[in-house]
């Protein structure tokens, strides 16, 4: 099974500052058929299901603010919020869709400092 | 607009059974695979089961294989999760989820349904 390890488990960032979350995979997520990495980032707010932010590791979902960006390839990935806003508070998860069982990182809690 | 409306959760004793339902609308149901994903209290997300668009392929997480059964009724646009031999560690909010075509990225989620085994 592919294990995804996120870091940190939680972080507190001042409004307007940068927040960076890392996701490390135990195996490469590169899809050789299209040269893209099978990794998605979700945001989850309390009492709500997750929402897609970034897929193929770096493609921003339609409607997602430009301050969210994804980077990385192979086994190491990052999600960056360039200027944290109050509405960005919540949990963030990475998930791989390279192969079953479809696995998630343990989550990172983002708070306002 | 896609809507996945769940029902069937509740409190159940260890060893008992429960069936979750998910009614889908706003998408071509017979073209879509469906998944169940759960989230234990204060914990992360865990994929539980999947069923292909035609019901011929099913897959389960090792933690539930042999105890849970996923099924679908294409005539009623519904997906089910039959949960038998429930354990305390199965306590979680269960989400019905529909992925985008060809890739297991969960675009659409139900509202979540709490299953408490106690």
């Amino acid at each position: 099974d592919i294990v995804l390890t996120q870091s940190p488990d939680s972080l507190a960032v001042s409004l307007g500052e940068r927040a960076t979350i890392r996701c490390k995979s135990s195996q490469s997520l590169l899809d050789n058929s299209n040269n893209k990495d099978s990794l998605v980032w979700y945001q989850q707010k309390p009492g709500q299901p997750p929402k897609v932010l970034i897929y193929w590791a770096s493609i921003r979902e339609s409607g997602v603010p430009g301050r969210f960006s994804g980077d990385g390839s192979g086994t190491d990935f990052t999600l960056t919020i360039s200027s944290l806003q109050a509405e960005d508070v919540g949990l963030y998860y990475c998930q791989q869709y390279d192969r079953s069982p479809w696995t998630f990182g343990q989550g990172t809690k983002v708070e306002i400092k | 607009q896609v809507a996945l409306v769940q029902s069937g959760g509740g409190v159940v004793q260890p060893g008992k059974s429960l069936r979750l339902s998910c009614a889908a609308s706003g998408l071509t149901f017979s073209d879509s695979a469906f998944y169940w994903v759960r989230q234990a209290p204060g914990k992360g997300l865990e994929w539980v089961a999947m069923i292909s668009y035609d019901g011929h392929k099913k897959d389960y997480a090792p933690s539930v294989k042999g105890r849970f059964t996923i099924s679908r009724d294409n005539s009623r646009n519904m997906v089910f999760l039959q949960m038998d031999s429930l354990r305390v560690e199965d306590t979680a909010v269960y989400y019905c989820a529909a992925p985008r075509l060809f890739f297991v990225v969960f675009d659409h989620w139900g509202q979540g349904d709490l299953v408490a085994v106690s």
Side-chain angles (χ1 to χ4, degrees), chain A residues 45-94:
Chain A
K45 296 187 178 181
Q48 297 182 19
K51 168 192 165 186
V52 174
L53 295 175
I54 304 284
Y55 59 99
W56 291 125
S58 61
I59 300 177
R60 192 180 308 115
E61 180 77 334
S62 175
V64 172
R67 61 182 180 274
F68 291 93
S69 64
D71 199 5
S73 65
T75 60
D76 293 281
F77 304 92
T78 57
L79 174 70
T80 300
I81 309 172
S82 60
S83 176
L84 191 75
Q85 304 300 304
E87 60 266 31
D88 300 333
V89 167
L91 286 162
Y92 291 80
Y93 294 94
C94 56

Side-chain angles (χ1 to χ4, degrees), chain A residues 42 44 50 61 93 95 100, chain B residues 39 47 59 100 104 106 109:
Chain A
Y42 298 94
Q44 185 181 33
E61 180 77 334
Y93 294 94
Q95 177 229 318
S100 175
Chain B
Q39 187 168 33
W47 164 71
D59 196 8
R100 60 188 61 180
V104 186
F106 300 115
W109 298 74

